[in-house]
Amino acid sequence: MQWEKLISAKRWGIDNDEVQDQDKARSQFQRDYDRLIFSSPFRRLQNKTQVFPLPGSVFVHNRLTHSLEVASVGRSLGAIFYNNLKKQDSKVDERLPLISEVGNMVAAACLAHDMGNPAFGHSGESALSRYFTDGDGSVYRSQLSDEQWHDFTHFEGNANALRILTHPFYGKGNGAFALTYTTLASIVKYPCDAIAGHVKGNIHQKKYGFFQSEQASFQTIATELGIIKAHDHPLIYKRHPLVYLVEAADDICYNIIDLEDAHRLKILTYDKIQELLLPLCNSSRMGKWLEDEFEDEDAKVSIMRAKAINNLITACSEVFMDNQQAMLSGNFNMGLTDALPEPFQTPWKAISKISVEKIYNYQSVVQIEVAGYKVMGGLLEEFIPAVMHNNTHYHQKLVKLIPKQFITKNTDVYSKIQSVLDFVSGMTDLYAVELYRNIKGISFPAIH
């Protein structure tokens, strides 16, 4: 792959228009960032669970605050990459006119990376899948191809993000978000279809990155940018190199920030947090300085978090630069954080281990995952038969509850089911609970 092709300001849905920077205040990639941050799907992330249940008196991160932080880290990673290129080649801007914008490209992709995730964290994805594997949705198996069935039985937020950003939802305009091709490619961590995903040992096939409905869309993007195709049937591509920076920004934020949230919620003690974060600060004087200068434990954790993230950004940038050619040839088969050198790799793995043991299996986290199964599954139980049959007064009333943008004119089973998944996966935690309670008769809707 070549940076000359990989970086493109061409926009999705307006391919025949000449791309010009008529807005002198913003580059094309800054416009991507702004379009995302002002969008409704991005705004709804404020009411979607990241890890812990949405806050009471103690604030913890939600999908929106997480995405903003990831974008901040991603911008730094991209900017460092450009600065390193500039040091190697003082004329790089002449050869690659858009390369100075790589920080904005990565930041925009980071903003969008979680836009396809449903309510209730990762359990929301499992809940939607379970309806088809173990629930009433299994009756539709014979009416779908193997590839379409995998889309539903392994519902994937990554693929859903690409759909949200490229699909012309009814009444929303044919260009969708009209983001640049490079921003779109940079969010696709697993550029293969569902039937090729979940392959251990291949980083680009760990999950999958596009539904059957968006397969042709991704092929168009990949062809335009010169992304390497690894296989035709099933369709598998190698990663766009900027995906590694987006992924690293996400990994750094959730691994470190989840510790901070766990401390605020008193799941982990300050001593344990210090034991985990100090090695990443890589400073022999940090511990004593914190004790001498600060009394507040939250402030101490914030200082260590900031220093750890800064060091991880630097380390990941070096890994990216050192392995740039392997990524361009499609042969770099691990994430940047997996390739961290010492003294960072050992504490990084320790944090990942304790996060699974103490944070992701904490009681309130498990409770919201269980609730997610009931709520998301319950909504599919009602809305999918209604859309599929629409032959009773009750079904017709349920269909009227679905916003027009999600109603499809297609008559095939795949498109009808996908229209319901578009609706349900876009819900916030609180809206999903409220709608579930209302249609199940658990509570009575108020008239507003």
Side-chain angles (χ1 to χ4, degrees):
M1 294 178 276
Q2 298 175 331
W3 287 116
E4 288 85 345
K5 292 197 68 175
L6 289 167
I7 295 179
S8 170
K10 188 173 184 179
R11 291 193 171 277
W12 181 258
I14 52 174
D15 297 347
N16 294 325
D17 290 11
E18 184 179 354
V19 176
Q20 294 180 340
D21 273 330
Q22 296 175 342
D23 185 344
K24 295 180 180 179
R26 302 179 300 162
S27 71
Q28 294 294 334
F29 306 101
Q30 287 172 317
R31 291 174 67 188
D32 281 354
Y33 186 95
D34 293 346
R35 289 182 184 191
L36 289 163
I37 210 165
F38 282 97
S39 69
S40 294
F42 182 77
R43 194 179 308 124
R44 285 196 294 270
L45 295 177
Q46 69 181 311
N47 198 234
K48 288 190 177 186
T49 298
Q50 174 64 19
V51 174
F52 300 104
L54 296 175
S57 58
V58 179
F59 178 80
V60 292
H61 288 77
N62 53 43
R63 288 279 179 188
L64 185 141
T65 51
H66 167 71
S67 297
L68 289 170
E69 289 168 346
V70 173
S72 178
V73 171
R75 180 181 286 110
S76 296
L77 287 165
I80 292 171
F81 172 54
Y82 167 67
N83 291 336
N84 287 335
L85 285 179
K86 187 85 169 176
K87 289 176 184 176
Q88 288 185 352
D89 179 5
S90 61
K91 297 183 178 180
V92 69
D93 292 301
E94 298 175 20
R95 184 167 55 86
L96 303 171
L98 296 175
I99 194 66
S100 63
E101 285 292 314
V102 70
N104 289 322
M105 299 171 204
V106 177
C110 288
L111 272 191
H113 85 283
D114 267 354
M115 283 176 63
N117 286 57
F120 304 106
H122 287 297
S123 66
E125 294 173 306
S126 299
L128 297 178
S129 300
R130 187 172 179 269
Y131 170 78
F132 298 98
T133 57
D134 304 324
D136 296 344
S138 59
V139 300
Y140 302 111
R141 174 64 186 94
S142 61
Q143 302 174 64
L144 298 165
S145 69
D146 289 344
E147 291 81 5
Q148 292 171 336
W149 184 242
H150 270 72
D151 282 357
F152 297 152
T153 56
H154 300 82
F155 184 86
E156 179 56 52
N158 292 283
N160 200 38
L162 184 66
R163 177 170 172 80
I164 289 170
L165 296 172
T166 60
H167 181 71
F169 290 97
Y170 180 75
K172 296 292 185 178
N174 290 330
F177 281 70
L179 299 182
T180 62
Y181 277 37
T182 295
T183 294
L184 290 171
S186 297
I187 71 166
V188 185
K189 293 167 66 175
Y190 316 109
C192 63
D193 63 25
I195 205 164
H198 305 278
V199 175
K200 291 182 179 180
N202 286 346
I203 192 169
H204 58 294
Q205 291 176 260
K206 183 179 177 181
K207 296 180 183 178
Y208 69 96
F210 46 82
F211 298 128
Q212 288 298 299
S213 50
E214 279 67 56
Q215 185 185 85
S217 297
F218 186 77
Q219 283 182 291
T220 299
I221 294 167
T223 301
E224 173 69 24
L225 300 181
I227 298 174
I228 296 171
K229 184 191 289 186
H231 200 269
D232 273 310
H233 304 290
L235 189 62
I236 304 168
Y237 283 88
K238 295 301 180 78
R239 286 175 156 191
H240 188 293
L242 294 185
V243 168
Y244 290 94
L245 295 181
V246 175
E247 179 182 55
D250 186 25
D251 290 348
I252 289 169
C253 285
Y254 77 72
N255 244 22
I256 303 302
I257 300 298
D258 288 351
L259 286 181
E260 190 173 25
D261 283 348
H263 175 256
R264 287 184 179 273
L265 294 170
K266 303 187 186 308
I267 297 171
L268 296 176
T269 65
Y270 172 76
D271 289 342
K272 176 54 71 173
I273 298 295
Q274 185 182 55
E275 175 190 325
L276 293 165
L277 287 184
L278 267 184
L280 291 177
C281 296
N282 197 26
S283 171
S284 59
R285 296 176 293 177
M286 175 72 77
K288 187 176 187 308
W289 178 68
L290 290 174
E291 292 303 317
D292 291 345
E293 298 293 330
F294 297 87
E295 291 185 7
D296 184 79
E297 288 186 349
D298 286 342
K300 293 179 185 179
V301 172
S302 295
I303 292 292
M304 288 189 289
R305 175 257 298 156
K307 182 64 174 175
I309 288 177
N310 182 69
N311 286 342
L312 289 168
I313 288 172
T314 301
C316 285
S317 295
E318 291 175 358
V319 174
F320 185 80
M321 199 65 186
D322 291 344
N323 294 278
Q324 182 189 166
Q325 291 307 314
M327 294 172 197
L328 289 170
S329 62
N331 293 324
F332 191 70
N333 198 30
M334 64 176 68
L336 299 183
T337 55
D338 295 322
L340 284 169
E342 296 296 355
F344 303 114
Q345 187 60 232
T346 297
W348 179 261
K349 287 182 177 179
I351 290 171
S352 299
K353 184 173 184 290
I354 202 165
S355 294
V356 173
E357 293 175 354
K358 300 292 186 180
I359 298 177
Y360 305 141
N361 284 301
Y362 189 67
Q363 186 178 30
S364 63
V365 175
V366 174
Q367 285 174 347
I368 198 168
E369 289 179 346
V370 172
Y373 273 98
K374 296 295 290 185
V375 172
M376 304 300 271
L379 292 171
L380 294 187
E381 287 173 3
E382 299 290 341
F383 283 106
I384 285 183
V387 168
M388 291 300 297
H389 306 298
N390 200 11
N391 57 0
T392 68
H393 185 259
Y394 178 64
H395 283 167
Q396 291 162 7
K397 291 294 183 184
L398 279 174
V399 171
K400 288 183 180 296
L401 293 177
I402 302 175
K404 287 184 179 179
Q405 71 188 75
F406 300 117
I407 301 297
T408 180
K409 294 181 179 180
N410 296 334
T411 58
D412 61 288
V413 172
Y414 179 74
S415 296
K416 285 186 173 182
I417 291 176
Q418 197 168 40
S419 70
V420 177
L421 291 174
D422 289 337
F423 173 45
V424 174
S425 67
M427 294 178 183
T428 64
D429 292 29
L430 295 182
Y431 179 70
V433 170
E434 180 183 354
L435 184 60
Y436 174 79
R437 289 170 62 88
N438 288 341
I439 65 176
K440 291 291 188 179
I442 298 171
S443 62
F444 197 76
I447 297 176
H448 298 288

